[in-house]
Amino acid sequence: MNGDNLHHRSVPQTTTILKTTNTISINNFNLKKTAPNHDGKTSEWGGHRRWSLADASFLRWTAADAIWLFKYHPVPCFFGVALLFFMGVEYTLRMIPSSSPPYDIGFVATVYLHRLLVASPTLNTVLAGLNTVFVGMQTTYILGTWVIEGRPRATVATVFMFTCRGILGYSTQLPLPEEFLGSGADFPVGNVSFFLFYSGHVAGSVIASLDMRRMHRWELAFLFDTLNLLQVVRLLSMRGHYTIDLAIGVGAGILFDSLAGKYMNKVVAADVDDSCTTRPHLS
């Protein structure tokens, strides 16, 4: 008896069929089955059926449904309210003139740190060097999961991520911020040019952190998340990335880790199928 089976046995079965009301209740979600009409219309479960306004779902909504929605699904409700708010912002906000530099809220939040780095080039170089060390830590861990531990998922995710970053970064080339503070100790080492969208620094950190969590290396994952947050602040302060680059970097790390997982599962399934297939020997 494995853990999965034990878990499933312990979960109460809540699926019931209420024949008297012609309603199927599945895990507290009621699905009402429409009975056949005498005018030739078939049920909702199949066949052809003419739709009318009386069939609209919202006509069956009640105040109790609204309370239940806000109580048990607060996250979608929050995003729904946020959608309405930002629709208002989008239609009333004046666009930035083409002659002006982009407006970035992350730059506004780090004005003091930016001035500090401008006044102290040595501090900027030290922080750039430390950030490069952190990038080396990411690279070492991700390659180590493949070369040492034989788990290539994080490496595959990183390859996917940087390839897509190159395509997007080349497709739409964003201007370097006017207040950019470069350093020869930064990565890419030598203060060479780089793609702004999206941040490979952040995405690589997220990929490594997700792998650590899968392996229950909680302390190491917390360390990487903390260093990643400091990296975000530093990149904003030296104007090395726009805020949107960093935010999408987080999403890219999660996305490509998931895609790499699906790819690896597909490869494993294919290997199992090959091992179970008897191939005829050629004489």
Side-chain angles (χ1 to χ4, degrees):
M1 180 170 61
N2 57 35
D4 291 338
N5 292 334
L6 178 62
H7 172 73
H8 291 304
R9 285 196 182 100
S10 64
V11 176
Q13 298 297 323
T14 59
T15 302
T16 58
I17 299 179
L18 308 178
K19 295 182 179 179
T20 57
T21 61
N22 203 20
T23 301
I24 297 178
S25 179
I26 302 176
N27 295 334
N28 298 327
F29 287 91
N30 294 328
L31 303 175
K32 293 184 179 180
K33 180 179 177 181
T34 303
N37 297 317
H38 295 291
D39 60 357
K41 298 177 183 178
T42 59
S43 70
E44 293 180 356
W45 298 96
H48 300 285
R49 185 173 185 272
R50 293 193 299 272
W51 184 88
S52 65
L53 183 61
D55 299 319
S57 177
F58 74 90
L59 293 178
R60 298 189 294 271
W61 294 355
T62 64
D65 293 330
I67 295 174
W68 179 87
L69 186 64
F70 277 93
K71 182 177 180 180
Y72 293 100
H73 297 282
V75 174
C77 291
F78 168 79
F79 284 114
V81 174
L83 168 65
L84 297 177
F85 171 77
F86 282 108
M87 284 179 63
V89 172
E90 183 175 359
Y91 279 95
T92 57
L93 188 68
R94 289 188 177 182
M95 299 294 290
I96 300 297
S98 57
S99 58
S100 300
Y103 172 81
D104 193 297
I105 193 170
F107 290 4
V108 175
T110 55
V111 167
Y112 173 77
L113 293 176
H114 177 74
R115 292 173 181 171
L116 180 64
L117 295 179
V118 170
S120 179
T122 302
L123 177 61
N124 183 45
T125 300
V126 170
L127 294 179
L130 292 175
N131 205 155
T132 299
V133 171
F134 180 48
V135 173
M137 291 168 59
Q138 299 173 31
T139 305
T140 301
Y141 179 85
I142 291 172
L143 290 179
T145 59
W146 174 34
V147 177
I148 306 299
E149 301 179 20
R151 299 185 298 105
R153 174 171 172 172
T155 304
V156 172
T158 304
V159 172
F160 285 180
M161 180 270 291
F162 274 108
T163 301
C164 186
R165 176 179 179 269
I167 295 172
L168 294 178
Y170 182 81
S171 300
T172 301
Q173 300 173 34
L174 301 176
L176 196 65
E178 295 179 356
E179 299 177 326
F180 172 69
L181 299 176
S183 171
D186 209 347
F187 181 84
V189 178
N191 198 21
V192 298
S193 61
F194 58 93
F195 292 129
L196 286 171
F197 189 85
Y198 44 82
S199 173
H201 287 70
V202 171
S205 303
V206 170
I207 290 173
S209 175
L210 291 173
D211 184 87
M212 294 167 187
R213 282 176 165 75
R214 277 193 298 272
M215 301 307 294
H216 296 179
R217 297 165 178 166
W218 307 113
E219 294 82 3
L220 195 56
F222 178 77
L223 173 63
F224 262 59
D225 289 340
T226 302
L227 293 176
N228 197 12
L229 180 60
L230 295 175
Q231 175 179 241
V232 166
V233 175
R234 182 243 161 193
L235 289 171
L236 287 173
S237 301
M238 50 86 66
R239 309 305 191 237
H241 274 293
Y242 296 107
T243 301
I244 193 172
D245 306 331
L246 305 171
I248 298 301
V250 175
I254 297 172
L255 171 64
F256 288 108
D257 176 78
S258 176
L259 293 178
K262 294 180 185 298
Y263 173 78
M264 296 306 302
N265 290 337
K266 201 169 185 180
V267 169
V268 170
D271 289 342
V272 171
D273 291 341
D274 289 343
S275 64
C276 295
T277 302
T278 303
R279 296 185 177 88
H281 294 284
L282 299 177
S283 56

